[in-house]
Amino acid sequence: MKLKVEIDSRSGFCNGVIRAVKEAEDNLEKRRPLYSLGAIVHNNSELQRLHEQGLEIIDLDKMRNMNGGTVLIRAHGEPPSTYILARERGITLIDCTCPVVLKLQERIRNTYKEILQNGNRGQIVIFGKENHAEVNGLVGQVESNAIVTDILPGGKIKGLEKIDFSRPVFIFSQTTKDPQEYESVCRAILEKMEDKDSLFIFNTICRQVAGRHANLARFAVNHDFILFVSGPDSSNGKVLFELCKSVNRRSYHIQEVGEIDASLFYDGASVGICGATSTPKWQLENVAEYLGRL
C-alpha cells in the first residue's frame, strides 16, 4: 500500500515550548539533576526523552522541602508566590515563562491595580481552563481576585453566574484558547451587561496559536485522513483535534506510532499528520516514517 503523507509545517512546539526545552537541554549538560516545576510539556514521549537526560518533574510540595537546587519554570508561568518560595528555600530558578504569557501577566496586574485605585470598581475575568498551570499563574497576579470562565462540553459557559453584570468587567484569555470560543464567551457576557460600554475585552490569545486554528482547518480538510498526535493532558491538543474532526470526520487522535490502525487506510489515500503546540517535530516525523513503510 502506498500513501500520500504530509506533515503540517505549522504543527509542533510553539516558540515558548521550544525555548523551554532548549534551556532544559542546555542546563542538563552542566548539572544533574535539574528539576522542572510541573511537566515542561504535556507530551509523555518528550518527557521521557528529557528524563533520560536528567530532568526530574516536581510539584510545589516537593519544592517546599528543598534546600537549594535548580528549578526550571516552564513556559506556562507561575504566580508570584512561587518566586517568593524559591527565595525562601535558596533555590535557583531558570525562568522559561513564555514572553507572551509574561506580557499577559503584566497586563492583568496593571489592570487590577487600576481597579483598586478606582475604588475596587470592576472585576477581572479570565477565560481559561480552571487549574491549568497558566491560569493559576494569571490568577496569582491578582491575589486570586479573578473569575475563571470556560466553555463546558455541550456549550454551557462556566463561571457566568459569578459575574456581577452591574459592574465593569475586564476579560482576558488564556494564551492557548480557541479564538472563536473566546468571542462567544465575550458575546454572552456583553448580552448580560447592564452598561454595554463597561465590558473591556483584551485580545491576549497568542498570535501563533490563533493563526494555527485557521491553517489547521485548511490542512485537515485537504486530506483523506488526519492523524493528530498529542499527549492526553494537552488542553491545546484537545481543542485542535476537535477542530480537525469538525472538518474531517476521518481524524484520529494518537499519542504514538503504536496506536495507528493501518487497516483504516487504502492505497493512494492522502494522510495528513499534525499535532499540538506540545508535540515535538520528531514525533510527527516518526509517524510519517511508519506510514511510509506500510
Side-chain angles (χ1 to χ4, degrees), residues 106-145:
E106 182 183 16
R107 293 178 78 177
I108 288 179
R109 264 196 322 270
N110 291 340
T111 302
Y112 184 59
K113 287 178 184 176
E114 291 175 10
I115 289 173
L116 294 179
Q117 289 168 359
N118 291 326
N120 203 25
R121 290 192 68 256
Q123 308 148 91
I124 298 288
V125 176
I126 297 170
F127 173 57
K129 183 180 179 182
E130 195 165 25
N131 295 322
H132 186 279
E134 181 186 326
V135 173
N136 289 341
L138 300 177
V139 171
Q141 306 301 316
V142 296
E143 302 170 338
S144 298
N145 291 315

Side-chain angles (χ1 to χ4, degrees), residues 10-247:
R10 295 176 182 266
S11 285
F13 287 162
C14 64
N15 292 336
V17 174
I18 289 172
R19 174 173 168 262
V21 170
K22 186 177 187 310
E23 282 288 334
E25 291 173 331
D26 290 347
N27 280 274
L28 284 166
E29 291 180 1
K30 306 170 190 173
R31 59 175 70 82
R32 291 190 183 201
L34 173 66
Y35 300 100
S36 170
L37 184 55
I40 190 172
V41 61
H42 296 305
N43 184 286
N44 293 336
S45 299
E46 181 69 359
L47 289 177
Q48 181 60 34
R49 184 184 74 84
L50 292 170
H51 176 70
E52 290 169 359
Q53 295 182 37
L55 183 68
E56 295 187 22
I57 298 170
I58 61 169
D59 57 19
L60 277 173
D61 287 339
K62 169 77 173 178
M63 189 171 167
R64 290 187 186 100
N65 291 314
M66 289 176 62
N67 289 299
T70 303
V71 173
L72 182 145
I73 301 294
R74 54 193 172 163
H76 297 309
E78 285 289 322
S81 57
T82 299
Y83 296 85
I84 294 171
L85 175 62
R87 288 195 296 271
E88 291 174 347
R89 306 307 300 172
I91 295 169
T92 299
L93 292 180
I94 300 172
D95 195 345
C96 295
T97 304
C98 173
V100 177
V101 175
L102 280 174
K103 184 177 179 181
L104 172 53
Q105 289 179 346
E106 182 183 16
R107 293 178 78 177
I108 288 179
R109 264 196 322 270
N110 291 340
T111 302
Y112 184 59
K113 287 178 184 176
E114 291 175 10
I115 289 173
L116 294 179
Q117 289 168 359
N118 291 326
N120 203 25
R121 290 192 68 256
Q123 308 148 91
I124 298 288
V125 176
I126 297 170
F127 173 57
K129 183 180 179 182
E130 195 165 25
N131 295 322
H132 186 279
E134 181 186 326
V135 173
N136 289 341
L138 300 177
V139 171
Q141 306 301 316
V142 296
E143 302 170 338
S144 298
N145 291 315
I147 298 167
V148 178
T149 183
D150 200 1
I151 296 181
L152 300 176
K156 182 181 178 181
I157 299 176
K158 177 183 178 181
L160 284 185
E161 71 282 357
K162 298 179 182 179
I163 300 174
D164 181 352
F165 297 103
S166 68
R167 299 167 57 208
V169 171
F170 300 82
I171 185 167
F172 302 82
S173 174
Q174 178 183 331
T175 60
T176 54
K177 292 294 278 183
D178 183 334
Q180 292 183 338
E181 287 190 351
Y182 185 39
E183 287 180 14
S184 67
V185 169
C186 291
R187 280 197 305 270
I189 293 174
L190 183 62
E191 288 174 3
K192 294 178 178 290
M193 294 294 295
E194 293 181 10
D195 177 4
K196 307 299 184 187
D197 292 330
S198 62
L199 173 61
F200 301 91
I201 301 169
F202 295 83
N203 181 13
T204 55
I205 294 176
C206 172
R207 289 182 183 177
Q208 186 181 6
V209 172
R212 185 168 290 187
H213 284 253
N215 290 316
L216 190 59
R218 286 193 293 268
F219 179 81
V221 81
N222 284 324
H223 291 83
D224 299 315
F225 298 89
I226 289 293
L227 290 181
F228 188 92
V229 188
S230 77
D233 298 324
S234 171
S235 35
N236 170 256
K238 291 172 186 174
V239 169
L240 293 180
F241 171 66
E242 288 302 323
L243 172 64
C244 289
K245 203 170 181 181
S246 71
V247 297

